[in-house]
């Protein structure tokens, strides 16, 4: 059932929701949360479809906020709120209100959304595009316990990750992080099957895919080793190679569906590693509403502390690299390498301790851009974990 309301108010929208529930014979509200989607007209359909599919797992009241751009100065001084209320089969397993804001009211979207929130239910705010630089400081973001962005939709994804690290607050998360969950699970399981020391890591994927950077930062942060970011044709993430003292561990996916896991001394095995739809990523984020400390730690590690990017042709030339010959951007402060090494705690080395796993803690250091004559990991100072902010 759909109810169109033109030049309306939040009070009339609430009455429309009650009217719609009664018309379909479900007067009770069985929603578990309020999902606020901030988007534009171009991306509203895809965002709403993903939310409807996710509502099969998480019945919710979905509020879609669309700020319409007025063409003339006169129109920009006029305020108007149009709404479309959907209940029943037209709204998945929840309720949907599409809010179109015109004029000055678009600058005060939080005042429109606030009366429509479900009482005593958590609020999740999702920016499908054009996320603010500081989600927690945004008026709409301040309403949510969980704030979901998607750096993949940004014009400069890597720059978006830097902004997320600077403004991170507990409750922030990104769909680019959810995209690497199956990879993280598979790599953690693989390391549990070997008893050897990880020396260095290479992560390959599309150049403008922030999930590749996030996975690389997570590995560097948790394994306490140097990680190189390599470029491939995709789709998405294509390969992770962990060089260990017992031989390489490789997880390779070329078609976006099936991957091959290779462990030292074991036969190769095929594993399902399908690229997931936005609705599946959103449903995963709605399963947990507490702060994601692992994401925060990986994000704060810093994208600029990863090894240099290589093209596909450069990777082909270096396909038979060894730990001692792997070119990596130095992970060190602006000071000289000797000073960085002198400041390292006693007992640190350029590699992780024996038997390291992805849950192993790591310590802090800053980033350097490096130069064409990049040192080997053995010549580099220890990788340390970034200080929490």
């Amino acid at each position: 059932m759909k109810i169109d309301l033109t030049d309306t108010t939040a009070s009339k929208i609430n009455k429309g929701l009650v009217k719609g529930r009664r018309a379909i014979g479900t007067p009770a509200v069985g929603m578990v949360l309020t999902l606020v989607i901030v988007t534009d007209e171009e991306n509203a359909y895809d965002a709403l479809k993903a939310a409807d599919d996710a509502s099969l797992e998480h019945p919710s009241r979905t509020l879609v906020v669309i700020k319409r751009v007025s063409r003339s100065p006169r129109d920009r001084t006029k305020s108007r709120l149009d709404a479309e209320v959907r209940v029943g089969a037209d709204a998945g397993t929840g309720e949907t209100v599409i809010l179109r804001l015109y004029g000055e009211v678009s600058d005060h979207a939080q005042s429109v959304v606030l009366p429509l929130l479900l009482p005593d239910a958590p609020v999740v705010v999702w920016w499908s595009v054009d996320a603010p630089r500081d989600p927690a400081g945004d008026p709409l973001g301040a309403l949510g316990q969980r704030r979901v962005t998607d750096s993949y939709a940004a014009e400069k994804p890597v720059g978006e990750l830097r902004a997320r690290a600077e403004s991170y607050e507990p409750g922030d998360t990104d769909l680019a992080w959810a995209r690497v969950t199956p990879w993280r699970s598979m790599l953690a399981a693989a390391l549990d099957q070997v008893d050897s020391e990880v020396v260095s890591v290479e992560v390959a994927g599309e150049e403008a895919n922030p999930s590749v950077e996030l996975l690389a930062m997570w590995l560097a942060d948790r394994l306490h080793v140097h990680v190189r970011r390599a470029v491939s044709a995709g789709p998405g993430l294509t390969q992770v190679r962990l060089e260990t003292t017992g031989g390489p561990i490789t997880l390779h996916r070329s078609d976006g569906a099936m991957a091959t896991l290779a462990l030292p001394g074991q036969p190769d095995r095929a594993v399902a590693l399908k690229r997931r739809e936005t609705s599946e990523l959103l449903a995963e984020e709605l399963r947990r509403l507490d702060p994601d400390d692992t994401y925060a730690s990986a994000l704060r590690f810093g994208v600029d502390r990863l090894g240099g990017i290589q093209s596909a042709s450069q990777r082909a030339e270096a396909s038979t690299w060894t730990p001692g010959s792997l070119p990596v951007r130095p992970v060190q402060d602006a000071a000289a390498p000797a000073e960085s090494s002198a400041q390292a705690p006693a007992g640190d080395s350029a590699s992780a301790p024996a038997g390291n796993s992805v849950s192993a803690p790591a310590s802090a250091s800053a980033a350097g851009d490096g130069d064409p004559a990049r040192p080997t990991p053995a010549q580099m100072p220890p990788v340390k974990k970034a200080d929490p902010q």
Side-chain angles (χ1 to χ4, degrees), residues 301-347:
F301 181 85
V303 67
D304 294 318
R305 299 169 64 191
L306 299 175
I309 296 179
Q310 281 194 327
S311 65
S313 60
Q314 290 172 324
R315 290 182 66 240
E317 294 175 2
S319 58
T320 56
W321 56 269
T322 62
S325 63
L326 176 62
V328 187
R329 178 186 300 159
V331 183
Q332 61 187 39
D333 203 35
E339 296 175 358
S340 300
S341 299
Q343 296 171 357

Side-chain angles (χ1 to χ4, degrees), residues 199-200 226 322-328 349-351 374-382:
V199 178
S200 57
H226 295 285
T322 62
S325 63
L326 176 62
V328 187
S349 63
S351 60
R374 291 173 178 162
T376 65
Q379 298 170 322
M380 297 168 65

Side-chain angles (χ1 to χ4, degrees), residues 104-235:
E104 293 181 353
V105 72
S106 63
D107 296 327
H108 305 280
Q110 72 279 7
S111 64
V112 177
V113 169
L114 186 59
L116 302 176
L117 301 178
L118 289 171
D120 302 322
V123 179
V124 178
V125 184
W126 170 36
W127 290 269
S128 65
V129 290
D130 299 329
R133 186 175 184 86
D134 182 7
D138 184 82
L140 279 173
L143 299 176
Q145 286 79 38
R146 189 81 161 170
R147 295 164 296 275
V148 184
T149 56
D150 190 356
S151 53
Y152 187 78
E155 184 177 354
K156 297 179 179 179
V158 175
E160 195 78 1
L161 290 180
R162 295 189 183 99
R164 295 287 160 264
E166 293 173 1
S167 63
Y168 176 83
E169 291 291 339
D172 291 354
T173 189
D174 199 291
L175 293 185
W177 175 248
R179 290 185 178 96
V180 301
T181 299
W183 286 81
R184 294 192 296 128
S185 301
M186 200 70 64
L187 291 170
L191 285 175
D192 283 342
Q193 300 179 48
V194 298
D195 184 17
S196 53
E197 176 184 341
V198 178
V199 178
S200 57
V201 180
E202 181 191 62
V203 180
E206 291 174 324
E207 184 170 0
N209 192 320
S211 296
V212 185
E213 265 78 16
L214 279 171
L215 182 62
M217 289 189 289
W218 173 71
L219 286 167
D221 179 57
R222 306 311 295 177
L223 290 177
H224 197 182
V225 297
H226 295 285
V227 178
R228 182 178 66 181
R229 163 69 158 94
V231 176
S232 70

Side-chain angles (χ1 to χ4, degrees), residues 75 88 100 151 197 250 286 364:
D75 290 339
R100 291 184 170 86
S151 53
E197 176 184 341
T250 304
L286 296 180

